[in-house]
């Protein structure tokens, strides 16, 4: 039977247009969420389920945004999820990126830390909110 172990949320911005954080370096990951899941009581087949959202204002140009989740705290740690969304030249309103991801059978340590990053392939992208990163740990 599946057992719930822990759940955490990293809420950087709760509302639309509540922040204005420019992405100033092309293709360089910028942290927008981090969680630490406690693992006491974890049984067999551990798995972490993630969800999140990030909203950005993109420049009037073809732009690609990449969301990456790592098991750890820096962009060079093991990647457990990565996806790129491309937005067209005609987009004027902020764009919302929602994602769901999993990490099956992670190595169990006292705490599993996961970090969510966003990067852009073009200058002029601005994080405007909301921004949220959530994770739950389950096992058998």
């Amino acid at each position: 039977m599946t057992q719930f172990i822990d759940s955490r949320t990293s809420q950087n911005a709760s509302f639309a247009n509540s922040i204005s954080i420019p992405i100033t370096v092309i293709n360089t990951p910028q942290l927008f969420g981090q969680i630490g899941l406690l693992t006491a009581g974890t049984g067999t087949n551990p798995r972490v389920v993630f969800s999140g959202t990030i909203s950005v204002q993109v420049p009037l140009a073809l732009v690609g945004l990449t969301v990456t989740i790592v098991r750890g705290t820096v962009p060079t740690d093991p990647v457990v999820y990565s996806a790129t969304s491309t937005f067209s030249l005609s987009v004027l309103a902020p764009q919302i990126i929602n994602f769901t991801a999993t990490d099956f059978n992670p190595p169990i340590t006292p705490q599993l830390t996961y970090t969510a990053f966003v990067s852009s392939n073009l200058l002029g992208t601005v994080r405007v909110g909301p921004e949220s990163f959530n994770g739950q740990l389950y096992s058998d």
Side-chain angles (χ1 to χ4, degrees):
M1 185 164 96
T2 301
Q3 176 183 354
F4 169 78
I5 307 298
D6 195 15
S7 179
R8 302 292 169 173
T9 298
S10 176
Q11 187 82 12
N12 188 45
S14 298
F15 306 105
N17 298 310
S18 60
I19 58 174
S20 180
I21 302 172
I23 296 177
T24 58
V25 182
I26 296 174
N27 294 323
T28 299
Q30 192 175 72
L31 184 145
F32 75 89
Q34 189 172 73
I35 57 174
L37 297 167
L38 301 178
T39 62
T42 300
T44 59
N45 299 318
R47 56 226 175 253
V48 180
V49 179
F50 306 101
S51 62
T53 189
I54 183 168
S55 184
V56 295
Q57 180 69 54
V58 297
L60 288 176
L62 190 62
V63 62
L65 296 171
T66 301
V67 171
T68 304
I69 300 172
V70 301
R71 187 184 318 114
T73 59
V74 295
T76 54
D77 283 332
V79 174
V80 297
Y81 173 84
S82 182
T84 300
S85 296
T86 303
F87 298 97
S88 71
L89 301 172
S90 62
V91 174
L92 296 175
Q95 299 304 298
I96 299 173
I97 300 170
N98 295 303
F99 60 90
T100 302
T102 59
D103 187 15
F104 184 75
N105 209 17
I108 296 302
T109 57
Q111 176 176 295
L112 290 170
T113 300
Y114 292 92
T115 307
F117 296 95
V118 64
S119 60
S120 175
N121 68 350
L122 192 63
L123 291 179
T125 303
V126 179
R127 297 167 39 206
V128 294
E131 293 183 351
S132 182
F133 178 50
N134 314 290
Q136 298 82 40
L137 173 62
Y138 301 92
S139 72
D140 291 336

